[in-house]
Amino acid sequence: VGIATGRHGCAFDADGLDATAAAACVEGGGALHGGARLPGAADLIAAAASAGPARTAVVIETTPLSVLDGQPAASLLRAALSAGAHVITANKGPIACAWPELRAAARSAGRHLLFEGVVMDGIPVFSLAGDGLPALTITAIRGIVNTTTNYLLAALEEGREATTALADMRARGIAEADPSLDVDGWDAAAKAAALGNVLMDGRLTPAAVARSGVARLTCADARAALEAGCRLKLIMRVERTAQGVTASVAPERVPLDTLFARVNGTMNALTISTDALDDITIVQHGGTLRETAYALVADLVRLWRRIA
Amino acid sequence: VGIATGRHGCAFDADGLDATAAAACVEGGGALHGGARLPGAADLIAAAASAGPARTAVVIETTPLSVLDGQPAASLLRAALSAGAHVITANKGPIACAWPELRAAARSAGRHLLFEGVVMDGIPVFSLAGDGLPALTITAIRGIVNTTTNYLLAALEEGREATTALADMRARGIAEADPSLDVDGWDAAAKAAALGNVLMDGRLTPAAVARSGVARLTCADARAALEAGCRLKLIMRVERTAQGVTASVAPERVPLDTLFARVNGTMNALTISTDALDDITIVQHGGTLRETAYALVADLVRLWRRIA
């Protein structure tokens, strides 16, 4: 019934918008039309939620990441929940920065908050904590969760210094125009905070994650690691300690005969340690916008099964 | 309320048995006592189910694997379902040999049939098809699912021929006294059939899986593979074809720079291909009886959540 965009306006029709026409509008660079034009997302949420109790409102949130405060996503999610909508997001910001408040808001509104796309896209990670691994405690999570840095470290091994490699990756659409979120470890830190908060009941934020990026690493570092039988990888770690759940992101030398040394290119991986089973590793072989879109659709199906 | 064993008798008490005392009995080599002694498992199931509608009966089945017909497990599961009990099993036989009938029996009885322990113990594999990966089709599954052959192939690489290596493994408790189920690929074939039946709606049995074991492989084969930059692995494959779901188990040369080449020792791995996402690999780092026991407990929790 409604679509709010960053650059193509915002439309609402309680009887339903024509999605194909809307997509054509946006792809053509124009503004959305059909239904009422509203000033922005907050107005759309209010309009959708006011459709009445006979309707089930679901807000799907995909605004850009703000790694330090999770805004405006966190506020939009809170507004949607308090207006009575269920919420699905692929944005790691609010889960990394404002999880306790959002969980409380969802509980008090009696609405669902789903976000499987936040780490490794549609691969079930957060779902594991529910039906997949009941009756145990997750004690630690470690992983390779940032593709840009994984490419960058491979380039160093191949003898291309970071500046050249990043320029190549921007040209190929792998790295953002401003790759600092990736290169400085912020993206991995936000994922660590989200995983620690949700799966280990932590009280993390991205800023609280001990963070060391890959910007200062050189071809010589990669070569030295290889000579020692290792490969440089940016490793995210979340651990349960006496001081609570802590997290870090830092480059590490990973022995070549281990799984993580083979997590290359667009692959991501998470290893989960528990108090009941030997370690489990989940590997995503590739992630594109298609995988992110699947995560949103999968959450919509899960939501429907829960409320139907 | 009841326990039936292979060598320590069978006891039933509608008011509950003392589990600690029963374990002590069995560990001491004696027969179960307390409550009524019954002739066998079928009688126990009848007694448990007759406790009346106010009770929820759950039968947990862990009889040994019979790879060609899944018996007596399949008959016990059917008897339990038709007597009104929910059923949990860690036995791959009935799921590999009699899945369509068992699924139909569970549906017609309105009871749950859970079996997460059948492949990779408590690691969520079958659960994925439910909440984990909704709204997609699994097109293929490949994996390393048999630990004995994985050890055996590693021994060949290290220059120990199969006969010596198997004797070592028997002494260390890794291989069975009769390792033919593993070495000839039957165990992997049964897992392939179970995965294909449940996750891909196949009509497989272990006997229908194209099967080639590792018994004829030698140190020279392992060395030749290494010289070609590969490692020998017993690979299970399940595929969706125009002729339906087919499966195979055979030794393959796996390139050393891939994940599967690093699935060594007690590790198992499955790679799942779908029509919506790039491949997903799940790796189990180690599996013991503890992991199998967890699978049964986890199924019991899942069952409780579904019926509560």
Side-chain angles (χ1 to χ4, degrees), chain A residues 122-124 127-128 130-136 256-259 262-263 267 271 275-286 290-291 294 297-298 301-302 305-306, chain B residues 122-124 127-128 130-136 256-259 262-263 267 271 275-286 290-291 294 297-298 301-302 305-306:
Chain A
I123 309 264
S127 308
L128 283 179
D131 204 47
L133 293 173
L136 55 65
L256 282 173
D257 63 355
T258 59
L259 283 180
R262 305 301 160 179
V263 174
M267 295 164 83
T271 296
D275 61 350
L277 295 169
D278 206 332
D279 286 357
I280 305 166
T281 297
I282 305 170
V283 181
Q284 176 185 34
H285 288 248
R290 179 181 168 84
E291 270 75 15
Y294 170 77
V297 172
V301 174
R302 272 188 279 266
R305 288 180 182 165
R306 290 187 196 177
Chain B
I123 308 265
S127 308
L128 283 179
D131 203 46
L133 293 172
L136 54 68
L256 283 172
D257 63 354
T258 60
L259 283 181
R262 305 300 161 180
V263 175
M267 294 164 84
T271 296
D275 62 350
L277 294 170
D278 205 333
D279 287 357
I280 306 166
T281 297
I282 305 170
V283 181
Q284 177 186 33
H285 288 248
R290 181 183 168 85
E291 271 74 15
Y294 170 76
V297 172
V301 174
R302 272 187 280 266
R305 287 179 182 166
R306 290 186 197 176

Side-chain angles (χ1 to χ4, degrees), chain A:
Chain A
V1 299
I3 306 171
T5 70
R7 294 189 299 269
H8 303 275
C10 175
F12 174 78
D13 187 334
D15 295 325
L17 293 166
D18 180 335
T20 310
C25 246
V26 167
E27 281 162 10
L32 291 170
H33 53 75
R37 295 194 197 182
L38 297 173
D43 311 276
L44 175 63
I45 288 167
S50 68
R55 290 279 186 87
T56 300
V58 181
V59 170
I60 299 179
E61 192 277 328
T62 60
T63 60
L65 171 64
S66 169
V67 79
L68 282 180
D69 62 7
Q71 296 296 3
S75 296
L76 290 173
L77 297 187
R78 262 192 292 262
L81 290 167
S82 65
H86 301 284
V87 166
I88 295 170
T89 183
N91 185 333
K92 64 189 84 71
I95 311 301
C97 300
W99 168 247
E101 303 87 313
L102 287 169
R103 178 175 55 180
R107 282 183 183 162
S108 104
R111 291 298 181 272
H112 292 283
L113 166 61
L114 296 172
F115 45 86
E116 191 57 276
V118 161
V119 177
M120 300 216 297
D121 302 309
I123 309 264
V125 173
F126 296 106
S127 308
L128 283 179
D131 204 47
L133 293 173
L136 55 65
T137 299
I138 294 177
T139 52
I141 305 175
R142 61 186 190 279
I144 296 171
V145 294
N146 182 270
T147 301
T148 299
T149 48
N150 217 22
Y151 266 103
L152 186 63
L153 294 171
L156 294 181
E157 252 183 42
E158 292 160 7
R160 289 183 293 144
E161 291 293 351
T163 321
T164 323
L166 276 170
D168 287 355
M169 286 158 66
R170 274 197 295 273
R172 292 167 60 199
I174 297 165
E176 301 291 328
D178 172 8
S180 66
L181 267 184
D182 297 319
V183 171
D184 295 336
W186 280 111
D187 174 74
K191 287 169 178 163
L195 290 166
N197 289 343
V198 176
L199 296 180
M200 299 170 71
D201 201 26
R203 292 289 175 276
L204 293 168
T205 62
V209 175
R211 190 177 41 77
S212 168
V214 302
R216 292 181 186 180
L217 294 174
T218 64
C219 293
D221 296 319
R223 268 197 312 273
L226 274 181
E227 279 160 21
C230 295
R231 175 165 279 159
L232 290 176
K233 291 287 181 188
L234 187 67
I235 304 290
M236 174 215 81
R237 292 182 177 273
V238 190
E239 273 155 14
R240 196 180 293 281
T241 71
Q243 288 73 48
V245 175
T246 63
S248 64
V249 171
E252 293 185 21
R253 285 183 171 191
V254 174
L256 282 173
D257 63 355
T258 59
L259 283 180
F260 275 13
R262 305 301 160 179
V263 174
N264 295 323
T266 56
M267 295 164 83
N268 277 201
L270 281 182
T271 296
I272 298 173
S273 301
T274 72
D275 61 350
L277 295 169
D278 206 332
D279 286 357
I280 305 166
T281 297
I282 305 170
V283 181
Q284 176 185 34
H285 288 248
T288 63
L289 270 184
R290 179 181 168 84
E291 270 75 15
T292 308
Y294 170 77
L296 298 170
V297 172
D299 273 347
L300 198 57
V301 174
R302 272 188 279 266
L303 172 63
W304 177 250
R305 288 180 182 165
R306 290 187 196 177
I307 65 181

